[in-house]
Amino acid sequence: REKEEINNLKNKKKELGEINPDEIQSFAKLPLSKRTLKGLKDSNYLVPTKIQRHSLVFSLRGFDVVAAAKTGFGKTLAFIIPLLEMLYCKRWSPMDGLGVLVITPTRELAYQIFEVLKKVGKEHDFSAGLVIGGKDLKFEWNRVSSCNILICTPGRILQHMTENPEFVADNVQMLILDEADQCLSMGFADTMNCIFEELSCERQTLLFSATQTRDVKDLIRAGCKNPVFCSVHEHS
Ligand code: ADP
Ligand code: MG
């Protein structure tokens, strides 16, 4: 049954290129798994915001996306949904290890993303972890190496990559940078470059921030391949 649903979703995703994002009046109109739709509904998310509509039509089809929308416009769900759908459609299992890395500049933002992921992803069977420091590195070791999804801050995830022999990141299928302009700023440059080196190029990359990251050098650095630019300025 699951296989059938996934095939169905694949077919419906092909039609996403022909629809006008502004005509998507509910999440249920999008080709999303039953599990994700239930997570959204139970969290009271029924109508996608503008940045969600405009980015989902591309991110769900596997495109790299560089999206900009002001604080409060709903960027978190705009990347949580494609992350869950990608893993689900690839039938990712606990045995497949780390499949998605979400990087955000601060611990507070990482916590907030983790809470949304837990709520909206509750019907899925993926394991998720928060890697933000504060705890002994060794304490995190085993747990982190068995997660399918990690929400992390740059310094701490790099520490795992370099010091934790259990940690494997070469199967990561999707990299998400939240507050991407901050992640790609001078302050994190060395750290982020080291992280990018650890990841395979065969992945989808999603960048979200309040202002549009258009510096081509930064986009190449982050591994974006012919990204789609989505930018939303007015709320709806
Ligand atoms: P941003 O990252 O763009 O600053 P957030 O993802 O933090 O925005 O979302 C801002 C607020 O909007 C949160 O309280 C979130 O629960 C709410 N929100 C996001 N998407 C929706 C939606 N589709 N329907 C209703 N509320 C939403
Ligand atoms: Mg945000």
Side-chain angles (χ1 to χ4, degrees):
R1 261 202 4 237
E2 204 170 86
K3 240 186 186 161
E4 207 176 296
E5 187 192 16
I6 290 169
N7 274 333
N8 226 325
L9 289 171
K10 271 187 192 149
N11 286 330
K12 283 196 196 148
K13 276 186 213 162
K14 289 185 197 145
E15 295 160 21
L16 275 178
E18 280 131 54
I19 64 168
N20 174 355
D22 284 321
E23 282 165 11
I24 303 167
Q25 282 153 2
S26 75
F27 283 114
K29 294 270 160 73
L30 284 163
L32 302 178
S33 62
K34 290 195 189 80
R35 292 176 191 232
T36 298
L37 282 174
K38 181 155 194 322
L40 287 166
K41 192 172 167 220
D42 292 350
S43 316
N44 248 325
Y45 295 129
L46 301 172
V47 180
T49 66
K50 194 164 185 182
I51 189 65
Q52 290 162 8
R53 296 194 303 269
H54 281 259
S55 60
L56 283 168
V57 293
F58 296 107
S59 57
L60 287 173
R61 279 187 288 160
F63 285 95
D64 283 1
V65 171
V66 178
K70 273 192 260 179
T71 302
F73 278 26
K75 294 189 289 296
T76 315
L77 272 187
F79 60 77
I80 297 283
I81 294 171
L83 162 184
L84 290 170
E85 291 300 293
M86 185 279 294
L87 291 177
Y88 182 71
C89 287
K90 293 203 170 180
R91 310 192 82 190
W92 207 257
S93 79
M95 309 298 292
D96 292 314
L98 184 62
V100 179
L101 200 54
V102 181
I103 304 179
T104 189
T106 70
R107 283 186 196 189
E108 290 67 31
L109 287 169
Y111 262 118
Q112 289 168 23
I113 295 166
F114 194 62
E115 290 306 312
V116 178
L117 176 66
K118 276 198 294 188
K119 267 200 312 183
V120 176
K122 71 182 169 58
E123 301 292 323
H124 288 282
D125 299 321
F126 312 125
S127 53
L130 200 53
V131 182
I132 54 176
K135 277 180 199 148
D136 181 40
L137 193 68
K138 286 229 166 95
F139 178 84
E140 283 179 351
W141 270 16
N142 292 318
R143 237 173 30 89
V144 162
S145 55
S146 68
C147 282
N148 300 138
I149 305 163
L150 287 179
I151 316 290
C152 54
T153 51
R156 190 57 165 191
I157 195 67
L158 180 60
Q159 208 180 348
H160 273 281
M161 286 174 167
T162 53
E163 293 174 39
N164 179 353
E166 308 280 327
F167 188 84
V168 183
D170 52 15
N171 203 18
V172 167
Q173 310 285 306
M174 186 185 275
L175 171 70
I176 297 164
L177 303 188
D178 178 44
E179 304 292 341
D181 46 358
Q182 255 174 279
C183 291
L184 294 168
S185 70
M186 286 294 285
F188 285 121
D190 291 343
T191 308
M192 291 304 296
N193 287 342
C194 293
I195 293 171
F196 295 142
E197 269 179 35
E198 295 287 324
L199 305 173
S200 154
C201 301
E202 295 297 312
R203 60 150 198 270
Q204 188 180 1
T205 304
L206 307 178
L207 308 190
F208 283 85
S209 48
T211 54
Q212 190 75 271
T213 313
R214 273 191 181 273
D215 187 323
V216 176
K217 262 186 281 171
D218 273 341
L219 298 180
I220 292 170
R221 201 158 65 91
C224 283
K225 295 173 292 287
N226 296 320
V228 176
F229 292 91
C230 304
S231 173
V232 165
H233 298 294
E234 75 280 18
H235 216 320
S236 84

